[in-house]
């Protein structure tokens, strides 16, 4: 059985596999360990990866790239509309309102959902890994940014299904990096000692994420995570492109932004120039032959000019660092080391900002490009029965607080309660007790809209059916289990009605239900909540994470049930 970890990046993808000798990053048919996240559609053929990237300039309208931010979003979403301006191909509103791409393929105009596009890319990565392993691949772990919302995560899961992959876990990128870092460390403190706190900073092509993780022997716990979803390597490229567009307008009297082909070529050259400036502080040339209107263009820039040009972007590096320290309740002296990954962390000015904030040297022991894929492959090996891996428990967290609101169709019974707070351990299940006489609806949504990079706070609506009053007219006790699963997706897993029954004769005949979290005290309309903790995924979470609590929204109490009544569960 094969075990594969996939780093699904905005610009490039990496595949790591677990073999008996350890974790290995595999190369594609071009002997390249990175596969561009790019798909080019033609009249007769479809190219994916390196072959598609070479067609970005020649087949502008039908080469799809930079689509990662479109997952799980509606076409009218402001973020989609912002991305649309940047993209040389056409976006289209799909029948369900989501964003899709419109391209010409096999001699006709065709719309593709984002899940289909990512599915094509994942199918290519699957094929690459099968060629390397010489056996079929099904199980995998796929990385996603820690700030992805419920809808975005569901969308990536759908794309994995399109590709015929069984995704065992959607793993947050910084958590994957933390696993790749921690599992090989032999000197981690024992469980009864103070943990080692490590900061992981990942700045890729399109986003910036920071996590603080606490390590003990065989255990990793994510304490806090912060992010700037709109700061990455491409913003630095854009700053260079805008600068040269203005210069060429004055110098050569050409408007580059009107010509999508010329603009794409300029982006490619600016990306190369940015990488050269990370290694050299001297003046570097930018020369493009036959750039536009048969003109050759040339210019130059040095690192000092570049840093001045990107001053506003560099100022955005520090706020997430400050926020993550506050959320984890840690001081600088509590941090053992700072690990950086992601292509954009190679920019010297970015490193400088991080060093200046933590007042200590940063570590580059991890492979900046491949660490995420390696962490995913390790997680896949842990989850797979085919591999024996050193015991290592992973406690991730919920990136945004989630609130549950309920309303009843006939009564005026409404209320709400935060079921998962920000940075709550995940995966996790909670059982909430309601007292109702009729079916009711639950609506899950993100509590703080300003935290979520998404204009629609709704997660989903759930209807709890087959709820009736008890035979004595009292409200029924309804237990609803809500879950934040291993993928970070919220769901209402089950609902049960507990019937009161008079027991004749011997009390020992009936199976007793023993759950410490439910007291024998009834409330009128809704109104007891908490929350029986259950283990999530593979680790058991104990009361230390979320002590048992009862939340009474109305303060209304009804009489306690007589002692000869016994609860029985009915699944609804």
């Amino acid at each position: 059985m094969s075990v594969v970890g996939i780093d699904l990046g905005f610009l490039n993808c990496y595949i790591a596999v677990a073999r008996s000798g350890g974790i290995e990053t595999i190369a594609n048919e071009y002997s390249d360990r990175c596969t561009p996240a790019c798909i080019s559609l033609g009249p007769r053929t479809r190219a994916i990866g390196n072959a598609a990237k070479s067609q970005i300039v020649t087949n502008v309208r039908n080469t799809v790239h930079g689509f990662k931010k479109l997952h799980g979003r509606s076409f009218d979403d402001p973020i989609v509309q912002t991305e649309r301006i940047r993209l040389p191909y056409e976006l289209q509103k799909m029948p369900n309102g989501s964003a899709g791409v419109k391209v010409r393929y096999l001699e006709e105009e065709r719309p593709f959902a984002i899940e289909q596009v990512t599915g094509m890319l994942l199918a290519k990565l699957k094929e690459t890994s099968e060629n390397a392993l010489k056996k079929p691949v099904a199980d995998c772990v796929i990385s996603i940014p820690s700030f992805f919302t419920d809808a975005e995560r569901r969308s990536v899961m759908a794309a994995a299904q399109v590709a015929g992959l069984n995704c065992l876990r959607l793993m947050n990128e910084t958590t994957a990096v933390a696993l790749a870092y921690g599992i090989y460390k032999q000197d981690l403190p024992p469980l009864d000692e103070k943990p080692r706190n490590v900061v992981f900073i990942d700045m890729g092509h399109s986003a910036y994420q920071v996590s603080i993780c606490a390590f003990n022997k065989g255990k990793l716990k994510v304490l806090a995570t912060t992010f700037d979803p709109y700061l990455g390597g491409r913003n630095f490229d854009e700053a260079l492109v805008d600068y040269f567009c203005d210069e060429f307008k004055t110098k050569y009297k050409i408007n580059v932004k009107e010509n999508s082909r010329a603009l794409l070529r300029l982006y490619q050259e600016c990306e190369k120039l940015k990488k050269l400036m990370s290694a050299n502080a001297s003046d570097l040339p930018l020369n493009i032959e036959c750039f536009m209107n048969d003109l050759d263009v040339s210019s130059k820039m040095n690192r000092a000019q570049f840093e001045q040009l990107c001053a506003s972007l560099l100022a955005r590096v520090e706020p997430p660092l400050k926020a993550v320290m506050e959320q984890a309740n840690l001081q600088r002296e509590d941090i053992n080391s700072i690990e950086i990954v992601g292509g954009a962390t190679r920019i010297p000015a970015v490193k400088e900002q991080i060093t200046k904030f933590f007042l200590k040297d940063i570590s580059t022991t991890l492979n900046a490009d491949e660490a995420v894929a390696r962490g995913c492959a390790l997680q896949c090996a842990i989850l797979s029965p085919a591999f024996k891996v050193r015991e290592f428990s992973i406690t991730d967290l919920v990136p945004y607080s989630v609130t549950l609101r309920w309303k009843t169709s006939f009564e005026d019974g409404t209320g709400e309660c935060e079921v998962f707070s920000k940075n709550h351990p995940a995966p996790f299940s909670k059982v909430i007790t309601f007292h109702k006489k009729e079916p009711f609806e639950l609506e899950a949504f993100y509590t703080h809209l300003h935290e979520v990079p998404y204009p629609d706070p709704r997660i989903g609506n759930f209807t709890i059916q087959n709820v009736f009053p008890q035979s004595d007219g009292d409200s029924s006790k309804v237990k609803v289990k809500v879950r934040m699963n291993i993928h970070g997706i919220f769901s209402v897993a089950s609902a049960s009605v507990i019937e009161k029954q008079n027991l004749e004769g011997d009390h020992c005949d009936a199976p007793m239900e023993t759950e410490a979290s439910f007291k024998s005290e009834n409330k009128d309309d809704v109104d007891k909540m908490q929350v029986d903790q259950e283990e999530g995924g593979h680790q058991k979470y104990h009361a230390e994470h979320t002590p048992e609590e009862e939340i009474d929204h109305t303060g209304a109490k009804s009489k306690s049930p007589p002692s000869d009544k016994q609860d029985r569960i009915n699944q609804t």
Side-chain angles (χ1 to χ4, degrees):
M1 191 186 286
S2 52
V3 168
V4 176
I6 296 172
D7 174 9
L8 193 63
F10 184 92
L11 191 66
N12 294 310
C13 302
Y14 292 84
I15 315 161
V17 296
R19 289 182 173 169
S20 50
I23 302 294
E24 190 181 317
T25 310
I26 57 177
N28 57 26
E29 68 270 35
Y30 293 85
S31 300
D32 197 344
R33 285 148 81 101
C34 85
T35 301
C38 195
I39 294 150
S40 187
L41 301 156
R44 288 187 184 81
T45 55
R46 181 184 75 177
I48 302 170
N50 300 63
K53 192 176 181 181
S54 63
Q55 296 181 33
I56 282 182
V57 176
T58 53
N59 186 17
V60 179
R61 306 288 291 168
N62 301 309
T63 301
V64 185
H65 52 93
F67 47 83
K68 186 176 175 179
K69 285 193 182 293
L70 306 177
H71 272 285
R73 296 186 179 277
S74 68
F75 181 76
D76 302 320
D77 188 317
I79 292 163
V80 171
Q81 293 306 315
T82 307
E83 289 293 318
R84 193 180 176 192
I85 299 161
R86 292 177 160 142
L87 299 171
Y89 53 87
E90 197 178 333
L91 295 185
Q92 181 178 328
K93 191 170 188 171
M94 302 303 282
N96 63 355
S98 67
V101 301
K102 186 180 176 186
V103 288
R104 190 164 181 79
Y105 179 47
L106 302 179
E107 306 288 9
E108 60 175 307
E109 294 281 338
R110 292 190 182 199
F112 288 102
I114 296 303
E115 291 80 7
Q116 288 175 294
V117 175
T118 303
M120 292 179 207
L121 180 62
L122 287 170
K124 172 68 177 175
L125 299 174
K126 181 186 177 193
E127 185 189 312
T128 302
S129 46
E130 284 177 341
N131 290 342
L133 292 165
K134 304 283 187 285
K135 55 183 171 182
V137 167
D139 291 350
C140 68
V141 169
I142 299 173
S143 76
I144 50 161
S146 54
F147 54 80
F148 260 23
T149 59
D150 213 79
E152 289 165 297
R153 288 167 192 262
R154 287 177 193 275
S155 178
V156 175
M157 287 295 281
Q161 283 184 323
V162 168
L165 287 166
N166 174 32
C167 181
L168 300 179
R169 177 171 192 168
L170 286 181
M171 196 169 194
N172 292 339
E173 286 162 355
T174 45
T175 310
V177 173
L179 176 59
Y181 167 87
I183 200 165
Y184 294 113
K185 288 273 181 281
Q186 299 294 324
D187 57 345
L188 293 176
L191 289 171
D192 53 351
E193 286 185 20
K194 192 180 169 193
R196 179 184 299 174
N197 298 319
V198 182
V199 178
F200 294 95
I201 297 168
D202 178 0
M203 190 186 281
H205 191 63
S206 71
Y208 171 42
Q209 304 168 71
V210 186
S211 279
I212 297 183
C213 300
F215 289 94
N216 287 95
K217 202 165 183 59
K219 183 180 169 193
L220 140 67
K221 184 182 180 189
V222 185
L223 300 178
T225 184
T226 54
F227 29 78
D228 183 340
Y230 314 111
L231 177 65
R234 67 173 182 165
N235 299 83
F236 293 93
D237 296 347
E238 277 167 11
L240 286 172
V241 167
D242 290 342
Y243 172 82
F244 288 121
C245 280
D246 291 343
E247 188 182 310
F248 295 161
K249 193 179 272 185
T250 313
K251 195 171 170 183
Y252 298 104
K253 306 287 184 287
I254 53 172
N255 188 349
V256 182
K257 293 193 174 178
E258 284 178 354
N259 185 323
S260 53
R261 232 174 229 154
L263 190 61
L264 280 167
R265 285 186 70 194
L266 183 59
Y267 264 104
Q268 288 174 343
E269 292 302 320
C270 285
E271 194 183 338
K272 287 177 196 167
L273 182 65
K274 177 188 72 176
K275 288 174 182 175
L276 286 170
M277 283 192 289
S278 293
N280 303 280
S282 57
D283 277 4
L284 292 166
L286 175 103
N287 299 309
I288 313 173
E289 291 179 359
C290 277
F291 179 58
M292 189 176 160
N293 304 344
D294 291 333
L295 280 172
D296 298 344
V297 295
S298 63
S299 186
K300 63 178 181 180
M301 184 171 275
N302 61 38
R303 191 192 290 172
Q305 283 174 283
F306 174 61
E307 287 175 8
Q308 204 177 343
L309 196 66
C310 300
S312 61
L313 297 173
L314 294 168
R316 288 164 62 183
V317 173
E318 194 179 301
L321 302 177
K322 202 177 279 182
V324 82
M325 294 293 281
E326 283 170 10
Q327 286 177 28
N329 289 322
L330 295 174
Q331 303 302 316
R332 287 185 177 93
E333 51 272 21
D334 299 326
I335 301 298
N336 289 70
S337 67
I338 298 114
E339 296 285 334
I340 60 169
V341 296
T345 55
R346 292 189 176 102
I347 299 170
V350 171
K351 285 185 189 171
E352 207 178 287
Q353 290 282 327
I354 297 165
T355 310
K356 200 167 84 179
F357 178 80
F358 286 107
L359 304 174
K360 60 176 72 172
D361 289 342
I362 49 183
S363 168
T364 51
T365 53
L366 291 164
N367 184 314
D369 298 316
E370 297 171 11
V372 174
R374 293 175 70 83
C376 288
L378 279 163
Q379 173 67 87
C380 198
I382 290 168
L383 297 176
S384 168
F387 272 76
K388 188 161 175 56
V389 184
R390 186 185 299 134
E391 279 294 310
F392 205 85
S393 79
I394 303 154
T395 307
D396 212 324
L397 49 73
V398 179
Y400 311 109
S401 50
V402 176
T403 294
L404 212 55
R405 182 184 291 146
W406 49 86
K407 56 178 182 287
T408 318
S409 47
F410 306 113
E411 299 174 12
D412 291 326
T414 60
E416 60 182 51
C417 183
E418 190 175 272
V419 281
F420 292 106
S421 57
K422 186 178 170 72
N423 294 336
H424 189 290
F428 214 96
S429 296
K430 292 188 178 186
V431 177
I432 307 170
T433 307
F434 295 97
H435 291 264
K436 296 284 189 182
K437 295 183 178 180
E438 62 195 351
F440 60 102
E441 279 187 17
L442 295 172
E443 182 192 356
F445 60 94
Y446 291 115
T447 317
H448 306 296
L449 193 53
H450 65 274
E451 288 177 359
V452 187
Y454 201 68
D456 186 358
R458 285 174 305 171
I459 295 171
N461 289 330
F462 309 88
T463 305
I464 311 298
Q465 296 175 328
N466 302 335
V467 181
F468 307 104
Q470 294 291 314
S471 51
D472 58 4
D474 274 2
S475 298
S476 291
K477 190 194 279 187
V478 184
K479 289 184 183 179
V480 176
K481 184 193 279 186
V482 295
R483 180 178 291 148
M484 188 63 76
N485 70 12
I486 195 167
H487 309 297
I489 294 171
F490 177 89
S491 64
V492 173
S494 65
S496 314
V497 175
I498 296 171
E499 287 183 357
K500 291 184 222 158
Q501 294 215 325
N502 287 321
L503 291 183
E504 303 289 333
D506 191 358
H507 285 251
C508 301
D509 294 343
M512 279 294 284
E513 186 202 353
T514 55
E515 286 198 31
S517 57
F518 301 111
K519 307 286 185 276
S520 63
E521 171 188 313
N522 269 350
K523 310 275 189 273
D524 266 346
D525 184 27
V526 309
D527 285 341
K528 204 175 9 160
M529 131 140 230
Q530 169 84 7
V531 238
D532 169 30
Q533 268 50 282
E534 295 207 352
E535 73 256 23
H538 307 275
Q539 305 84 31
K540 289 193 176 179
Y541 296 110
H542 302 287
E544 66 196 20
H545 292 301
T546 314
E548 291 192 348
E549 57 186 339
E550 286 193 12
I551 301 170
D552 184 355
H553 300 282
T554 62
K557 295 183 181 179
S558 64
K559 59 186 185 297
S560 295
S563 59
D564 65 339
K565 293 199 174 174
Q566 166 64 38
D567 289 348
R568 181 195 287 170
I569 281 192
N570 279 349
Q571 199 74 16
T572 62

